């Protein structure tokens, strides 16, 4: 049994069906490969948890339509036990099998392949069914080239025309009979076996007939009556006459005398969630495919052998790789590798306490992508997040703080939902939404979905297509103020990708995401919203990348030409999913103004190319966006976002409460906003910057007004004396040049204060053209500040002037 | 850019000078008819089964060599969804050529194409060369728009017309070539077409206008 303990999971493999002949469907698109259909369908199996079912851990798509199924294992299969079981044991095994089967049938999953080699039993008497989802994941066997199920376990109606869930009851009956009187139809080939089963159709009592056929009638009669009754209830020719698993459980519970001793949940590593163990095992270098090769379950044959001998005119082939039968062997995996890797971890670390938060991970300084591949780091992160998520929604604040560092990929779906504040009975809410009634938008959705992130195996299958459509329809129905804009499909994709088997949560996440980040973007007339957004994006570019902004402005390279898909889809139409998740990790933590800075971050990465390019080259660059380092982009954008005063990225079209305090207001009419190069800073933000000595005020009023009363610490550059044509700070005079240069060096924010907006804008624009970063305009100018914070004013010190 | 052009004009080997003309071309049509695929086939010779939908617009360039002229197309590939319609004028304004695309397996897309033609005739530059492309001709088995019907419509409206297939590359280069041939390559005609309508890239107007050297 020691061996069993270190083998927690196993894999088996098979080939999906190849599409014969034509490779294109009626819409001109290639047919979905069967392996992708299987992958899509099997996702649901990954979420099934039951004490008597081996948890599915992974479904891998290998080369040449190969599918590898990874699932939990325990003990040995019934077929591997050589000794006979006592009736007490048989009843106990049966009870657990029927329990599992009843659960599956309630989930509307038919097993079809139940046999003595996929019922696993461990030394403590625990039973688990292994790979019970073959029939389900292969779409009732339609996606594989081989028949499902062992011949001797097939019910008569299965052999004839398929059959439903009741076929599982027949199979169970046969297994029960075998446990009592030994293997049936030994050494008989499949064909004759099937024929024998079909001859049972005429028998009054098939069980007895089988026993007689095997010269076991004596033995059969010796089976306790209660058990024999059970067998006979299962082995009825007509499916409708067979007992259901529910009824069988009732009978079995009556005769079961043995209560299963509670297995002590192991402590330490082996007590961790199986999914975590599998994940960590992979991070330590565990390789499912390598092990399968070692055990001969994957055989490499020269590719030439798989070529067909002849190809017919209709595209059909003769010869070549022939469909093999299902290889029933499984490869078990030892966890020793992982145990060794984590052996130095003290036992108490398996049970992290909330108040003892570990902060000093060594790996934290490494890039995210590397952290995500580090076993030990992921070990600590996962256990910690598991605890935090367990306490959700009461731990929201902790989750947010931790997510700021990073989010473990395995729990990303849960963490995102928590960050978006998804709570309540989301299943019920989603259930109530009509996702089926056709609408005029359907055509657009139908043509968009087969083009949406189709490199992703999950999203390109029919299961993915169907679910994405339902999500979109549900969202449109619950948001009647909005319409379907192309791009909404891409926006939904990441949520579907992370919650593939939890449609309701994908929907809840989308529903929470849009108001937060894309408020009013999907209005039928969204032009004002988009214009404002792009204008803000352009202002942020001028704020952080003045030189670039000036160049792009000069060549008339406006964001309308390239940035609409960026923001309308929050970059989900621009980048592949593995990059989007990292962008959105940051987005969900930092909030709705971050995307503006992400846009600037992308421009910054392309800075040198853009500065050297004219209009055509620039637009070409964005039509075919070069590789962007997302980790770097995220880091930069967060930095930019944090040093930018909140009010400079203020937008009118957000879901946030309206600003009431005049100290906070920076709002201007849209046409004014569109004409301004530089953002406005609110009085409140200005005040706090001043208190921290983080800004440099340039007062551009006349010298006369300045002398009378000015903001303390400000410099005076009378606007009337500025030569707007000369883009050099030097031309402003020696003192202003010195102060500004020093302020730029100290990365201070340059605030332009004026008596009227127009000159403030012209001057700030001038500063941007001089290449000065972090320029903004004081909203309301000097007079507003004087009204609200007169304490900041004084008389200029004479020393400031020579 | 200007340097590139003059470079082409004055070949070091003393070969006769070729005229270089630049034209702005816009693709219009219902979504998923294959606009982006046509451009991708023309510009890069590629075809992607799952070509992503275009939001806003995409921009690509390609050069064609005619007998004595080199024609450089600046191609604006637009979003097909009706909702993005309001953006379209930004792209067809100042265009010297347009390809209006429909899907031969879908009658509705042909109707939409007709609307685009009408709009171009009304709003775009009067000398614009319009081509009608019936795309997805590889799916002829599922044809819903007859060749003759489209040809008759094209003749009536003075449009170039071809059935194309971005997938098999059928007629893709040909339709661009036909447009290139039909475009006026004389100084005056080119200038007229671009007149006042170069809003998109005013800044580099000298380069972007279709004047020839």
């Amino acid at each position: 049994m020691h061996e069993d303990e270190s083998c927690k999971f196993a894999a088996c493999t098979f080939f999906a069906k190849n599409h014969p002949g034509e490779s294109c469907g009626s819409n001109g698109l290639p047919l979905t490969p069967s392996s992708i259909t299987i992958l899509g369908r099997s996702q649901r199996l990954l979420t099934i948890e039951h004490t008597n079912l081996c948890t599915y851990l992974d479904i891998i798509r290998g080369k040449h339509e190969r599918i590898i199924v990874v699932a939990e294992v325990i003990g040995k299969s019934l077929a591997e036990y050589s000794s006979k079981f006592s009736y007490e044991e048989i009843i106990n095994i049966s009870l657990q099998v029927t329990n599992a089967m009843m659960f599956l049938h309630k989930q509307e999953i038919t097993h079809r392949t139940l046999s003595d080699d996929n019922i696993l039993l461990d030394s403590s008497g625990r039973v688990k069914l292994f790979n019970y989802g073959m029939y389900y994941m292969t779409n009732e066997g339609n996606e594989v080239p081989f028949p499902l199920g062992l011949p001797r376990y097939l019910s008569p109606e299965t052999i004839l025309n398929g059959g439903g869930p009741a076929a599982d009851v027949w199979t169970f009956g046969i297994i029960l009979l075998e446990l009592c009187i030994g293997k049936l139809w030994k050494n008989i080939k499949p064909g004759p076996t099937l024929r024998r089963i079909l001859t049972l159709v005429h028998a009054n009592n098939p069980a007895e007939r089988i026993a007689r056929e095997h010269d076991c009638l004596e033995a059969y009669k010796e089976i306790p009556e209660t058990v024999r009754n059970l067998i006979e209830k299962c082995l009825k020719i007509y499916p409708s006459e067979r007992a259901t698993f529910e009824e069988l459980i009732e009978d079995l519970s009556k005769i079961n005398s043995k209560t299963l001793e509670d297995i002590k949940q192991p402590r330490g590593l082996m007590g961790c969630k199986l999914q975590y163990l599998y994940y960590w095992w992979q991070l330590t270098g565990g390789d499912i495919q390598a092990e399968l090769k070692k055990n001969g379950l994957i055989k490499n044959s020269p590719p030439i052998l798989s070529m067909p001998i002849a190809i017919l005119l209709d595209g059909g082939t003769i010869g070549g790789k022939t469909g093999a039968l299902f290889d029933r062997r499984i490869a078990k995996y030892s966890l020793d590798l992982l145990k060794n890797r984590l052996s130095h971890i003290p036992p108490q670390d398996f049970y992290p306490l909330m108040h003892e938060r570990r902060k000093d991970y060594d790996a934290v300084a490494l890039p995210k992508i590397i952290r995500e591949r580090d076993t030990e780091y992921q070990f600590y992160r996962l256990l910690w997040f598991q605890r935090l998520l367990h306490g959700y929604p009461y731990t929201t604040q902790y989750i947010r703080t931790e997510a700021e560092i990073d989010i473990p990929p395995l729990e990303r779906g849960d963490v995102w939902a928590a960050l978006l504040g998804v709570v309540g009975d989301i299943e019920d809410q989603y259930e109530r939404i009509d996702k089926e009634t056709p609408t005029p938008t359907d055509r657009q959705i139908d043509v968009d979905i087969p083009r949406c992130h189709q490199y992703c195996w999950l999203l390109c299958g029919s299961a993915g297509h169907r679910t994405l459509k339902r999500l979109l329809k549900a969202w449109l129905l619950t948001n009647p103020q909005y319409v379907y804009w192309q791009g909404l499909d891409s926006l939904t994709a990441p949520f579907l990708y992370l919650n593939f088997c939890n449609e309701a949560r994908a929907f809840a996440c989308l529903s929470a995401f849009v108001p937060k980040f894309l408020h009013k973007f999907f209005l039928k007339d969204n032009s004002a919203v988009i214009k404002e957004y792009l204008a803000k994006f352009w202002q942020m570019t001028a704020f952080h990348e003045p030189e670039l902004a000036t160049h792009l402005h000069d060549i008339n390279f406006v964001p309308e030409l390239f940035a609409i898909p960026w923001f309308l889809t929050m970059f989900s139409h621009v980048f592949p999913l593995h990059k989007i998740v990292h962008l959105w990790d940051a987005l969900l933590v930092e909030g709705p103004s971050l995307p503006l800075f992400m846009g600037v971050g992308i421009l910054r990465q392309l800075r040198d190319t853009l500065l050297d390019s004219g209009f055509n080259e620039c637009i070409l660059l964005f039509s075919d966006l070069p590789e962007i380092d997302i980790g770097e982009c995220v880091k930069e954008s967060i930095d930019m976002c944090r040093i930018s005063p909140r009010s400079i990225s203020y937008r009118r079209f957000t879901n946030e409460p309206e600003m009431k305090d005049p100290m906070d207001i920076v709002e201007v009419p849209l046409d004014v906003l569109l004409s301004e190069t530089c953002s406005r800073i609110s009085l409140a933000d200005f005040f706090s910057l001043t208190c921290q000595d983080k800004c440099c005020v340039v007062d551009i009023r006349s010298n006369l007004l300045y002398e009378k009363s000015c903001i303390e610490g400000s410099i005076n550059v009378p606007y009337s004396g500025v030569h707007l044509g000369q883009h050099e700070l030097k031309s402003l005079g020696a003192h202003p040049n010195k102060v500004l240069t020093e302020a730029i060096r100290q990365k201070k924010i340059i605030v332009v204060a004026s008596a009227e907006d127009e000159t403030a804008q012209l001057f700030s624009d001038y500063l941007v053209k001089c290449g000065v970063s972090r320029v903004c305009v004081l909203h309301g100018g000097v007079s507003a500040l004087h009204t609200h914070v007169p304490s900041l004013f004084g008389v200029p010190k004479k020393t400031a002037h020579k | 850019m200007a340097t590139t052009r003059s470079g082409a004009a004055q070949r070091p080997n003393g070969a006769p000078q070729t005229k270089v003309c630049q034209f702005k071309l816009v693709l219009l049509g219902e979504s998923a008819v294959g606009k982006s695929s046509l451009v991708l086939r023309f510009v890069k010779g590629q075809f992607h089964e799952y070509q992503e939908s275009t939001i806003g617009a995409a921009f690509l360039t390609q050069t064609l060599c005619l007998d004595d002229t080199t024609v450089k197309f600046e191609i604006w590939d637009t979003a097909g969804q009706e909702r993005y319609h309001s953006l379209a004028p930004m792209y067809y304004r100042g265009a010297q050529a347009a390809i209006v695309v429909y899907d031969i397996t879908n009658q509705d897309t042909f109707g939409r194409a007709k609307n685009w033609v009408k709009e171009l005739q009304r709003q775009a530059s009067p000398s614009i060369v319009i081509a009608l492309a019936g795309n997805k001709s590889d799916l002829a088995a599922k044809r819903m728009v007859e060749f003759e019907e489209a040809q008759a419509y094209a003749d009536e409206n003075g449009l170039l017309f071809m059935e194309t297939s971005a997938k098999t590359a059928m007629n893709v280069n040909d339709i661009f070539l036909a447009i290139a041939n039909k475009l006026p390559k004389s100084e005056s005609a080119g200038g007229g077409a671009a007149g006042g309508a170069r809003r998109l890239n005013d800044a580099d107007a000298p380069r972007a206008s279709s004047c020839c050297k």
Side-chain angles (χ1 to χ4, degrees):
Chain A
M1 278 300 115
H2 288 293
E3 185 209 2
D4 288 340
E5 262 174 42
S6 70
C7 290
K8 282 265 189 178
F9 47 87
C12 64
T13 179
F14 58 89
F15 283 108
K17 206 187 231 168
N18 269 320
H19 290 297
E22 273 293 303
S23 65
C24 264
S26 55
N27 56 357
L29 291 174
L31 294 173
T32 311
S34 292
S35 57
I36 286 191
T37 309
I38 294 174
L39 204 71
R41 288 184 66 89
S42 55
Q43 293 307 305
R44 189 181 151 212
L45 298 171
L46 295 173
T47 64
I48 291 180
E49 304 234 8
H50 187 270
T51 37
N52 298 118
L53 294 173
C54 290
T55 309
Y56 277 98
L57 293 170
D58 202 1
I59 314 289
I60 305 166
R61 186 170 172 251
K63 278 185 193 163
H64 311 301
E65 293 293 278
R66 179 185 290 285
I67 293 283
I68 300 165
V69 177
V70 186
E72 174 188 13
V73 281
I74 58 162
K76 291 193 286 187
S77 72
L78 293 187
E80 286 170 283
Y81 284 89
S82 45
S83 57
K84 261 195 99 182
F85 294 105
S86 70
Y87 284 111
E88 199 187 21
E89 284 168 327
I90 290 174
I91 287 164
N92 196 268
I93 292 168
S94 303
L95 188 58
Q96 295 185 64
V97 173
T98 45
N99 248 319
M101 289 307 300
M102 181 178 80
F103 175 79
L104 286 178
H105 282 190
K106 275 197 180 147
Q107 307 275 320
E108 292 180 358
I109 292 173
T110 301
H111 191 311
R112 179 56 70 79
T113 56
L114 188 67
S115 69
D116 62 350
D117 63 0
N118 58 29
I119 300 174
L120 308 182
L121 174 70
D122 72 7
S123 54
S124 64
R126 171 80 57 195
V127 171
K128 279 182 191 267
L129 307 186
F130 180 79
N131 199 11
Y132 50 85
M134 274 299 279
Y135 185 69
Y136 177 79
M137 74 169 88
T138 58
N139 193 13
E140 310 189 343
N142 282 321
E143 307 290 345
V144 283
F146 48 81
L148 289 178
L150 285 178
R152 69 178 195 273
Y153 293 124
L154 297 180
S155 69
E157 81 273 12
T158 308
I159 298 170
L160 292 173
N161 61 2
D168 285 341
V169 179
W170 172 281
T171 309
F172 171 71
I174 297 280
I175 289 171
L176 194 50
L177 184 59
E178 276 194 335
L179 287 173
C180 298
I181 64 169
K183 273 236 163 87
L184 302 177
W185 299 296
K186 253 196 224 170
N187 308 325
I188 299 183
K189 285 189 176 147
T193 307
L194 297 180
R195 232 168 289 139
R196 300 239 176 139
I197 295 171
L198 287 179
T199 56
L200 297 173
V201 170
H202 302 294
N204 281 331
N205 184 341
E208 204 179 292
R209 170 85 171 267
I210 295 168
R212 196 174 291 134
E213 250 182 53
H214 287 78
D215 295 326
C216 297
L217 197 58
E218 294 286 296
Y220 182 72
K221 296 279 182 204
E222 277 166 26
I223 301 173
E225 202 187 337
T226 46
V227 179
R228 214 167 54 218
N229 279 341
L230 277 176
I231 295 174
E232 287 173 13
K233 273 185 180 178
C234 296
L235 297 183
K236 297 267 191 213
I237 292 301
Y238 288 101
S240 56
E241 289 175 8
R242 285 176 210 150
T244 63
F245 282 110
E246 231 163 335
E247 290 159 13
L248 292 174
I249 288 175
E250 214 170 283
D251 292 350
L252 280 162
S253 310
K254 277 181 212 151
I255 50 177
N256 180 37
S257 55
K258 193 178 166 191
T259 47
L260 204 63
E261 50 187 298
D262 266 339
I263 314 170
K264 251 195 169 167
Q265 179 67 19
R267 316 282 292 168
L269 185 63
M270 289 301 132
C272 291
K273 242 172 105 173
L274 207 58
Q275 284 87 345
Y276 289 1
L277 288 177
Y278 174 62
Y279 182 67
W280 295 327
W281 176 79
Q282 283 180 301
L283 291 183
T284 50
D287 185 348
I288 290 287
Q289 302 220 29
E291 198 71 13
L292 284 170
K293 274 184 198 145
K294 217 165 81 191
N295 291 337
L297 272 80
I298 292 181
K299 280 197 207 105
N300 287 333
S301 60
I304 188 79
L305 293 182
S306 57
M307 296 288 285
I309 295 164
I311 298 179
L312 304 178
L313 286 174
D314 65 357
T317 56
I318 297 175
K321 195 164 61 187
T322 49
L325 284 178
F326 178 48
D327 188 342
R328 306 189 68 83
R329 291 175 301 166
I330 60 174
K332 293 188 184 178
Y333 295 87
S334 159
L335 279 176
D336 291 343
L337 195 67
L338 178 65
K339 279 186 184 163
N340 290 339
R341 177 75 179 76
L342 298 177
S343 57
H344 63 284
I345 287 174
Q348 68 269 23
D349 281 10
F350 287 87
Y351 307 94
L353 294 171
M354 294 271 250
H355 56 271
E356 279 182 5
R357 202 179 133 223
R358 245 179 90 109
K359 273 199 111 165
D360 52 340
Y361 308 114
D362 304 333
V364 115
L366 298 169
K368 252 189 188 181
I369 303 171
I370 297 177
R371 275 181 262 161
E372 288 184 356
R373 308 296 308 163
D374 185 295
T375 317
E376 201 176 322
Y377 185 71
Q378 287 302 318
F379 167 79
Y380 280 111
R381 292 301 277 172
L382 272 175
L383 287 185
W384 181 231
F385 266 97
Q386 185 186 25
R387 257 186 91 59
L388 292 181
L389 288 167
H390 189 67
Y392 179 76
Y394 309 106
T395 45
T396 310
Q397 208 41 51
Y398 293 97
I399 294 174
R400 187 166 289 275
T401 315
E402 285 299 325
E404 216 171 282
I405 303 168
D406 57 30
I407 297 173
L410 200 59
E411 295 289 12
R412 188 172 267 132
D414 290 75
V415 176
W416 279 19
L419 291 174
L420 284 164
V422 171
V423 282
D425 193 351
I426 51 173
E427 273 85 14
D428 182 60
Q429 286 163 16
Y430 187 65
E431 188 75 21
R432 288 161 187 273
I433 304 167
D434 171 15
K435 300 169 280 283
E436 307 301 332
T437 307
T439 65
T441 312
D442 287 2
R443 165 178 134 98
Q444 190 64 51
I445 295 176
D446 285 336
V447 299
D448 285 346
I449 285 177
R451 307 188 278 169
C452 177
H453 292 289
Q454 294 299 295
Y455 55 86
C456 168
W457 291 346
L458 277 182
L459 299 184
C460 74
S462 53
H465 286 183
R466 268 197 312 273
T467 319
L468 186 52
K469 183 169 180 181
R470 276 200 303 270
L471 286 170
L472 288 171
K473 284 178 74 97
W475 187 83
L476 288 168
L477 195 84
T478 47
N479 290 280
Q481 75 278 29
Y482 289 145
V483 295
Y484 178 80
W485 282 85
Q486 270 187 323
L488 192 62
D489 50 336
S490 299
L491 187 75
T492 312
F495 295 120
L496 173 58
Y497 172 67
L498 290 183
N499 300 288
F500 199 79
C501 297
N502 196 340
E503 214 175 308
R505 198 169 70 184
F507 175 76
C509 285
L510 176 69
S511 302
F513 185 88
V514 174
K516 201 165 174 198
F517 293 93
L518 292 164
H519 187 57
K520 296 197 172 178
F521 262 74
F522 297 101
L523 285 177
K524 198 167 180 190
D525 179 10
N526 60 5
S527 57
V529 186
I530 290 195
K531 271 184 193 153
E532 185 199 37
Y533 209 96
L534 295 178
K536 269 338 247 190
F537 163 56
W538 228 214
Q539 289 185 345
M540 292 311 108
T541 311
F543 191 81
H544 289 287
E545 285 290 335
E547 199 187 338
L548 195 54
T550 306
H551 172 67
L552 297 179
H553 182 80
D554 285 346
I555 59 170
N556 213 354
F557 186 69
V558 292
E560 277 79 1
L561 295 174
F562 65 95
I564 293 175
W566 291 10
F567 299 119
L568 184 77
T569 68
M570 284 297 137
F571 305 96
S572 62
H573 195 73
V574 188
F575 294 116
L577 285 162
H578 71 270
K579 289 189 171 178
I580 299 169
V581 290
H582 284 146
L583 270 181
W584 286 19
D585 279 356
L587 209 66
L588 295 174
V589 175
E590 293 291 322
S593 56
L594 188 67
L596 294 169
F597 300 100
M598 284 178 167
V600 183
I602 295 174
L603 293 184
R604 184 176 275 182
Q605 281 205 9
L606 304 171
R607 190 172 191 274
D608 295 343
T609 322
L610 289 171
L611 282 176
D612 281 344
S613 305
F615 180 87
N616 274 16
E617 292 76 28
C618 285
I619 194 82
L620 275 174
L621 196 68
F622 284 101
S623 289
D624 198 0
L625 202 64
E627 191 72 14
I628 299 281
D629 179 345
I630 287 296
E632 189 61 25
C633 177
V634 167
K635 214 173 114 247
E636 298 257 322
S637 56
I638 292 176
D639 286 347
M640 286 190 269
C641 186
R642 290 186 182 168
I643 60 163
S644 306
R646 268 181 67 86
S647 55
I648 71 159
S649 58
Y650 169 85
R651 290 183 300 117
R652 192 154 50 109
F653 297 113
T654 59
N655 206 16
E656 281 161 29
E658 206 185 322
M659 301 283 192
K660 289 270 163 59
D661 189 338
M663 287 285 284
D664 289 325
I665 290 177
V666 283
E667 194 173 313
V668 289
L670 188 58
D671 53 327
V672 176
L673 176 73
L674 294 177
S675 69
E676 298 184 344
T677 313
C678 290
S679 280
R680 293 166 179 242
I681 183 170
S682 70
L683 300 178
D685 275 349
F686 173 73
F687 182 70
S688 85
L689 282 179
T690 310
C691 297
Q692 301 168 63
D693 191 24
K694 278 189 179 164
C695 69
C696 166
V697 187
V698 185
D699 190 332
I700 61 168
R701 293 173 305 160
S702 69
N703 194 251
L704 210 65
L705 287 171
Y706 181 79
E707 294 284 337
K708 223 186 264 174
S709 153
C710 69
I711 305 166
E712 273 191 54
S714 64
I715 54 166
N716 184 221
V717 182
Y719 177 75
S720 52
V722 179
H723 299 289
L724 288 181
Q726 278 176 301
H727 297 157
E728 267 185 337
L729 288 184
K730 271 187 231 152
S731 66
L732 295 178
H735 179 64
N737 181 29
K738 198 177 129 210
V739 175
L740 277 172
T741 312
E742 180 59 17
I744 293 164
R745 200 185 58 76
Q746 294 179 357
K747 296 195 178 336
K748 284 189 175 177
I749 287 168
I750 316 289
V751 181
V752 177
S754 169
E756 59 278 307
D757 285 347
E758 201 182 330
T759 50
Q761 275 306 325
L762 286 168
F763 184 73
S764 60
D765 185 46
Y766 167 82
L767 286 180
V768 170
K769 287 206 171 94
C770 293
V772 181
S773 298
R774 295 176 289 277
V775 178
C776 55
V777 172
L778 185 63
H779 182 69
V782 182
S783 57
L785 187 68
H786 196 267
T787 314
H788 293 283
V789 205
S791 60
L792 286 179
F793 284 79
V795 182
K797 288 177 203 142
K798 287 293 165 205
T799 49
H801 294 263
K802 281 170 246 168
Chain B
M1 272 321 286
T3 49
T4 333
R5 188 177 45 187
S6 57
Q10 297 157 1
R11 288 204 180 147
N13 59 9
Q17 289 194 348
T18 42
K19 285 197 283 183
V20 180
C21 296
Q22 302 208 33
F23 293 109
K24 180 176 163 186
L25 182 148
V26 62
L27 275 104
L28 300 164
E30 178 63 87
S31 66
V33 296
K35 295 179 295 299
S36 303
S37 293
L38 279 177
V39 179
L40 192 71
R41 174 61 84 184
F42 174 57
V43 174
K44 297 189 179 167
Q46 297 171 346
F47 177 74
H48 298 160
E49 306 276 4
Y50 304 107
Q51 179 67 36
E52 292 151 26
S53 56
T54 308
I55 294 178
F59 180 82
L60 289 144
T61 60
Q62 176 67 308
T63 308
L64 273 181
C65 289
L66 302 183
D67 299 334
D68 58 342
T69 329
T70 304
V71 171
K72 184 171 179 190
F73 280 119
E74 296 170 348
I75 305 165
W76 284 97
D77 171 24
T78 64
Q81 194 191 6
E82 176 65 34
R83 299 200 191 291
Y84 288 97
H85 195 146
S86 59
L87 289 175
M90 180 157 91
Y91 302 108
Y92 67 64
R93 204 180 289 139
Q96 288 97 354
I99 302 182
V100 177
V101 188
Y102 69 91
D103 171 358
I104 65 159
T105 69
N106 186 326
Q107 184 72 43
D108 293 346
T109 65
F110 185 53
R112 182 81 196 284
K114 288 179 179 173
N115 289 339
W116 276 120
V117 172
K118 261 186 229 148
E119 179 167 340
L120 285 173
Q121 287 168 342
R122 241 188 1 254
Q123 315 267 357
S125 145
S127 60
I128 190 169
V129 173
I130 305 174
L132 182 68
N135 196 34
K136 305 196 189 179
S137 63
D138 53 294
L139 296 178
K142 299 194 66 199
R143 171 190 292 283
M144 299 300 285
V145 183
E146 289 307 323
F147 181 86
E148 292 74 19
E149 184 188 354
Q151 182 70 62
Y153 172 76
D155 291 345
E156 246 168 66
N157 289 275
L159 316 174
L160 289 166
F161 171 63
M162 281 185 199
E163 283 196 352
T164 57
S165 166
K167 187 172 179 174
T168 66
M170 185 186 111
N171 277 346
V172 175
N173 288 350
D174 309 63
I175 198 163
F176 282 92
L177 205 63
I179 293 169
N181 278 320
K182 199 173 169 187
L183 281 164
K185 278 159 231 72
S186 66
E187 196 104 14
S188 57
R198 305 285 326 163
R199 201 192 165 284
L200 258 186
N201 33 13
D202 280 334
D204 45 53
R207 163 177 70 75
S209 72
S210 74
C211 65
C212 305
K213 278 203 174 171

